[in-house]
Amino acid sequence: MKTMTKKTAVVALAGVMAAGMLTGCGEKALDGTKTVATVDGAEIPLGMLSLSVREGQAQAEAMYKSFMGGSDYSIWDTEAEKGKTYGEQAVEQALKDIELMCILKEKAADYDVEITEDDEKAIADAAAAFMSANTEDTLKTLAVTEDQVKTYLELETYKSRMHDPIIADVDKNVSDEEAQQSSFNYVSISTSDLSDDEIKQKKEDAQKILDGLNADPDGDFSEIAKSVDDSYTVLSGSFDTNEDASEEDSDDEDETTASSSNYPDEVMKVLRTLKDGEVGPDVIEADSAYYVVKLDKVNDEDATATKKESIISTRENELYTETTDKWLDEADIKVEKKVLKTLKVTDNHKFTIQTAAEDTTDETAEVTETPEVTEEADATETPEVTEEADATETPEVTEEADATATPEVTEAPSYDTDSSLEVKDGDTVNIDYVGKIDDVAFDGGSTDGNGTDLVIGSGSYIDNFEEQLIGAHPGDKK
């Protein structure tokens, strides 16, 4: 029915088994043989769900320790919404993920997706390695059997392979009119939380920058801005050249707002009057900032090409979600709630992951060595991009990047803020965040404006955190 792209099982296994060995203690022993749910008659054992949940829990806790100063944080017992804790949400979400994987396996034949004998051997070897690497106490806590690990890895493999065939028929034709982008450079001087005198000084600074540009239109915009104040940075952006396309995007509540909507209306009104290389005639006053703008190109071919890719990516994401949501709605799913409630994620029951170089005693254990990842595992080779914003893409990830860790950056990245770019699965992004409980920021839960790199799809953050960044643009706040 549809053509399958052949890949080795390693693609799926590397991401799963990178979690390696898990250790934990503190909760009542589970009966992993019990059925926690059925999907069209296929049973999901509690042990398999336990493995998925603990893997996610360990990754989330590793993320907190890595990005928030190495301390433990009480997150799982905190109430999230509708009277449920984050721990309860984690369990329910993990079950939904496995339910979908069962459906994807069920639909695989319709897309000519299969598991080969070589795949089965690789899965069996990986499951055996996982079992032998973990202690008897850990396996008892997980309540998972080797057969359940193999089934879980098989489902993950189907999930990995089904994505591309599902989106294969998406319309990849995007007109120039729909995607055309204009590019510009600008300085934004914030006036938030300033006194009247300070705001007056900021406006004078903006006027000095504008005067410098008018005196030398071909001069270096960045040098002119820094000559006024070294803290001022020239940023770059783009917007929909066609106003109708911009309005269509911004009216669609299910899509990320159009690139042009990332900028104040006052700025957009001026930019649309300019020609290539022209400087805005006046300092632009918005609600919380002064802007000095210079149009680069009315028709920026590179930005337009990127926008086309973004539109296609959005269509693919929508098609995948619509298709899988429909399958979930149509499936006969029965959840054994009493069994589900026996699996708990709490703050006094910790699971950890560590690398092969670390000690394997007490409540940590060495990560199992996973099969070598082939070049085919490089599913999303992202271009080298430079951006500085809340959601920004950073230099290309190397092939050896671990699935659960942010790759080490060997060179200090430079950034721009081309808002036509859109975050996709597999991209490396740079984000700033503030962690809050009951709307109160907690110590160590913020990047303090310094930003941190994150590989989308790595599973480094709490479940569904990374997915929610897909489709975001540099400068977006979520």
Side-chain angles (χ1 to χ4, degrees), residues 222 225-233:
S222 181
K226 289 187 177 298
S227 69
V228 176
D229 190 308
D230 193 55
S231 66
Y232 295 151
T233 302

Side-chain angles (χ1 to χ4, degrees), residues 330-341:
E330 293 174 347
D332 180 15
I333 299 175
K334 294 183 176 65
V335 177
E336 301 296 334
K337 294 184 178 180
K338 288 185 179 180
V339 177
L340 183 63
K341 287 182 178 179

Side-chain angles (χ1 to χ4, degrees), residues 189 191 196-212 228 232 283 290 292:
I189 302 177
T191 57
D196 290 344
D197 287 343
E198 289 171 327
I199 291 174
K200 181 180 178 181
Q201 180 60 55
K202 295 299 182 184
K203 186 172 185 179
E204 291 176 358
D205 286 352
Q207 187 62 52
K208 290 178 181 178
I209 296 172
L210 178 60
D211 291 343
V228 176
Y232 295 151
V283 171
Y290 290 114
V292 177

Side-chain angles (χ1 to χ4, degrees), residues 35 83 99 169 174 177 181 184 236 257 259 299 303 307 320 347 441:
T35 298
E99 289 169 354
D169 292 337
V174 181
E177 183 179 12
Q181 297 290 294
F184 68 103
S236 64
T257 54
S259 59
N299 182 18
K307 180 66 174 181
Y320 183 84
D347 289 324

